[in-house]
Amino acid sequence: MSSRWQKRDQSRPDRKVSFSFIWQIQLASSANRNALLKHTFQHNTRTVLSQAAGMAQHEQSAASFPEHIRKKRNGEQLSAGEIRDFVQGVKDKTIQESQIGAMLMAIWLQGMVAEETLALTKEMMMSGEVMSWPAEWEGLVVDKHSTGGVGDKISLVLAPALAACGCKVPMISGRGLAHTGGTLDKLESIPGFNVYQSVQQLHGILEEVGCCIVGQTDNLVPADKVMYALRDVTSTVDSLPLITGSIISKKGAESLNALVLDVKFGNAALYKDLGSAKSLAQSMVTVGNSLGIRTGAVLSRMNCPIGRCVGNTLEVMESLECLKGRGPDDILELVTSLGGLLLWMVGRAGSLEEGKKVISTTLQNGAALEKFQNMMIGQGVTSQIAASLCSTNTDYYGILRRAHYQTELETQGHGTVLDIDGMVIAQVLHRLGAGRSKAGDPVNHSVGAELLLSLGQKVEKGQPWLRVHYETPALSAEQRLSLQGALTLGPADQLLTQPLVAEIILP
């Protein structure tokens, strides 16, 4: 065969010639030869017709997509089939980015009814790989998701605590963006910690340890990756059905038995008021349960930073202190509330209160700490480093990187600490390199801040209240002024005490 025809055959698989087939034709009798040719012709015809039908279906879906956009733009309900066409087109890249953006904006403007949101979430979940687990893990596979906050290190403490209770926790986490910190960024401040694990490796770590904290694989909900990036550039990030679809589709692809959601509200959260946060929580709880995942939610306040530390390395240190039974009360409250609810949902505790006590015990007796140590080793940290970090009186800065400079800010007056604005602190640290403005930007793990006082504490003028860790760029006079504005002092009788957990939504 000439090089011309070989090249043509490679570009058109349906025109490839089988030399073994030609040889069969030459050796066959006249009758057999006719039968063989007839069978081959019929098979090739069916193949071509099938390919043509598939191409026609794609072309028809692409051609009708503007009608789907118009329908949603005008406030009409999309059918399950139309939503399937949309998600399939996003995955297969058979519709234009401008059309995807237009649909996202139509959804943002008009919203979706519960049936649409469920259909969208299900189609996104099925756009890629859906994980499967051994039969003996049935009823034990759990996870948690937070809508994001300042100093939110709960996953680092909760995952090993749940593993110590016999659960399997395949926690698929994300990176920080804007003012919120990312669990993966925190863990990567530990030398050697590898957040990229194959499905086979993840299975192995879960089998041996019980918990694993990793990044999203390429095959998990690929449609969401495209939609998430376009939501950012089309200002549709805060759409309730799109948030629900993005979060629950990924958790559904994990094949969970139970899921708990930490939906935050306040100055340093996506939603500023309880009502808006509750609407999102209820949407996710409804869709999660409809997909067969027992789903509950905790509505928690997000004004002051969680704990005393903000910034990747500092938050790892504080998480280790929590696992050693020495953590701040607010972290303990969130960990036990979220973990206790999960244990109750999977039947490993008779009530929420009993579940909270079981989780608390794992933090006090070292069981959760041991799980975290083994998880570190399972994900690439040397046994020596893992053991040193988990020892009682370790020198954290002997292992974790410390920023070149530390500056302490002092109180400008005296009184009672009424408020510490977490958003202001996070925004300054973001500009100092602790966070990223767009996906893929590097972060400086050593940048962060330590709170040296707490709400309700009485202070005198000139008392240190915040220690800032930074490198390049340096802390500017403007940033110092912003940080000083984050602290509110006043008379003790003006202190407004509210519980950290405002409400719990059961499955």
Side-chain angles (χ1 to χ4, degrees), residues 320 323-324 369-370 372-374 376 385-394 396:
L320 284 163
L323 289 165
K324 295 172 186 178
L369 179 65
E370 182 179 357
F372 189 80
Q373 180 176 337
N374 291 333
M376 284 194 289
I385 288 177
S388 180
L389 286 173
C390 294
S391 63
T392 304
N393 297 309
T394 186
Y396 290 119

Side-chain angles (χ1 to χ4, degrees), residues 241-411:
L242 294 178
I243 294 173
T244 299
S246 178
I247 292 172
I248 303 301
S249 64
K250 285 178 282 199
K251 298 306 178 184
E254 290 179 41
S255 298
L256 301 175
N257 298 121
L259 169 67
V260 66
L261 302 160
D262 183 6
V263 182
K264 299 186 177 299
F265 67 96
N267 296 336
L270 176 64
Y271 287 104
K272 306 305 178 186
D273 62 279
L274 175 60
S276 300
K278 189 172 182 178
S279 295
L280 173 62
Q282 193 63 66
S283 173
M284 293 193 289
V285 166
T286 299
V287 171
N289 282 291
S290 298
L291 290 176
I293 307 168
R294 197 150 195 227
T295 307
V298 170
L299 293 160
S300 62
R301 290 181 170 84
M302 184 66 257
N303 295 310
C304 302
I306 302 170
R308 293 290 191 96
C309 295
V310 182
N312 296 301
T313 294
L314 294 175
E315 290 187 47
V316 167
M317 292 164 53
E318 188 168 40
S319 298
L320 284 163
E321 286 297 295
C322 292
L323 289 165
K324 295 172 186 178
R326 305 191 292 242
D329 291 341
D330 57 348
I331 296 179
L332 182 62
E333 183 179 355
L334 279 175
V335 170
T336 57
S337 295
L338 294 163
L341 181 54
L342 272 174
L343 292 183
W344 172 74
M345 286 195 292
V346 296
R348 298 188 79 82
S351 66
L352 174 59
E353 287 305 313
E354 182 186 337
K356 291 171 71 172
K357 290 177 182 176
V358 173
I359 293 289
S360 181
T361 298
T362 69
L363 301 179
Q364 298 301 321
N365 65 14
L369 179 65
E370 182 179 357
K371 290 293 184 181
F372 189 80
Q373 180 176 337
N374 291 333
M375 184 182 75
M376 284 194 289
I377 295 170
Q379 295 192 233
V381 179
T382 66
S383 299
Q384 182 180 359
I385 288 177
S388 180
L389 286 173
C390 294
S391 63
T392 304
N393 297 309
T394 186
D395 174 17
Y396 290 119
Y397 287 124
I399 299 171
L400 305 177
R401 184 168 173 269
R402 186 174 190 171
H404 294 157
Y405 310 106
Q406 291 81 40
T407 293
E408 290 187 357
L409 302 185
E410 298 178 348
T411 56

